[in-house]
Amino acid sequence: MIARRCMGLAIMLLPLLLPAPSPAGDDGFQARRLAMVERQIEDRGVSDPKVLAAMRKVPRHLFVSREAVSEAYEDRPLPIGYGQTISQPYIVAFMTEALKLTGGEKVLEIGTGSGYQAAVLAETAGRVHSIEIIPELHRSARKRLAGLGYGAIQLKETDGYYGWPDQGPFDAIIVTCAAGHIPPPLVEQLGPGGRIIIPVGQPWMVQSLVLADKDASGRVRTRSLMQVRFVPLVRERE
Ligand code: SAH
């Protein structure tokens, strides 16, 4: 009798012990994602509404290695496998904002990695193309992006140093691995009025994040925006 009453009590208490279901549209990480945007991105000066909306929307925890899911919204780079890393959220937002995208642009990314930056670009630009040199990362990014509704992003597995000549010119190019210099083929594939952002410097050291603008007459002007640390751009023959 007492046992039966206890069981009844336990059944009544059970709903109180289970975590509350997330509100509709929340994947369980929304609060952390919103806090990430407010504290790590807006508070540091990124203000482009399209970039902020993209950073609030793209589920970063689905792009990092399984062991790193609980840290997906922390203020730092995280592993994505094969010795590669996804940049700190602030850097992703900062680089995207620097491209001054309004929504209709054709964009090229070098270094697809997990596909996270490509998804952020898909939310802020028109057509997105992205190149990755590691076949396994290329394949998993393709699957992940298609599964998350970003199947329109064009992906290619090759050495991105040469860009994607038959798809150019691009309005904006973003390189998410560090090169010793700005690859000339990328400058060639940039349309007039276009912008390229790229970390330039020695591998495994601090590099300069360089923004290059091409004016209407094709003249290129570069300036360094900040010091960064990216994984190196590797060449096919290495
Ligand atoms: N943008 C990615 C992270 C990039 S990490 C994301 O959002 O997840 C840098 C990536 O550049 C790695 O995946 C690395 O394999 C790739 N990479 C390095 N050299 C490359 C090259 N020459 N061409 C294309 N991709 C390259």
Side-chain angles (χ1 to χ4, degrees):
M1 180 67 174
I2 292 175
R4 203 182 300 152
R5 203 174 289 159
C6 285
M7 221 160 78
L9 193 66
I11 289 168
M12 272 164 59
L13 285 174
L14 200 59
L16 300 175
L17 300 173
L18 293 171
S22 305
D26 185 352
D27 55 13
F29 287 83
Q30 200 180 29
R32 282 192 239 179
R33 202 157 47 240
L34 297 184
M36 166 192 90
V37 173
E38 194 184 321
R39 292 188 208 127
Q40 301 171 34
I41 299 174
E42 279 188 283
D43 283 0
R44 289 189 186 135
V46 173
S47 61
D48 182 331
K50 281 180 78 68
V51 175
L52 297 174
M55 298 298 294
R56 285 190 195 105
K57 181 170 173 195
V58 180
R60 187 170 157 94
H61 63 283
L62 300 181
F63 289 82
V64 299
S65 296
R66 203 170 304 154
E67 319 80 70
V69 166
S70 63
E71 296 158 85
Y73 296 96
E74 308 268 307
D75 190 16
R76 58 189 185 85
L78 288 172
I80 54 170
Y82 302 90
Q84 306 304 317
T85 53
I86 183 173
S87 299
Q88 183 189 1
Y90 168 64
I91 296 292
V92 173
F94 180 88
M95 289 174 80
T96 311
E97 182 176 57
L99 294 175
K100 291 201 161 68
L101 302 167
T102 58
E105 295 84 358
K106 188 174 188 181
V107 180
L108 174 67
E109 178 193 26
I110 308 304
T112 314
S114 68
Y116 178 72
Q117 173 76 70
V120 170
L121 290 169
E123 295 287 346
T124 43
R127 287 156 294 161
V128 179
H129 296 71
S130 183
I131 301 176
E132 170 57 51
I133 200 166
I134 299 180
E136 292 82 357
L137 285 177
H138 163 76
R139 278 198 293 273
S140 59
R142 181 184 291 287
K143 209 166 137 200
R144 176 181 298 117
L145 288 168
L148 291 171
Y150 294 108
I153 298 174
Q154 300 288 306
L155 300 171
K156 188 173 170 180
E157 179 211 314
T158 187
D159 180 353
Y161 182 92
Y162 302 102
W164 199 328
D166 45 337
Q167 289 289 339
F170 297 95
D171 300 305
I173 301 180
I174 177 168
V175 183
T176 60
C177 38
H181 57 265
I182 308 180
L186 299 186
V187 178
E188 266 161 45
Q189 288 164 41
L190 198 62
R195 321 183 115 211
I196 174 168
I197 190 156
I198 174 171
V200 179
Q202 295 299 309
W204 313 120
M205 311 269 284
V206 167
Q207 302 105 19
S208 278
L209 187 60
V210 172
L211 181 67
D213 300 74
K214 195 183 232 184
D215 68 17
S217 64
R219 203 175 29 211
V220 176
R221 202 181 44 140
T222 63
R223 69 199 142 104
S224 177
L225 303 180
M226 66 159 92
Q227 298 295 96
V228 287
R229 205 183 267 266
F230 273 78
V231 293
L233 180 140
V234 293
R235 305 301 313 282
E236 210 148 46
R237 274 179 226 100
E238 282 173 47

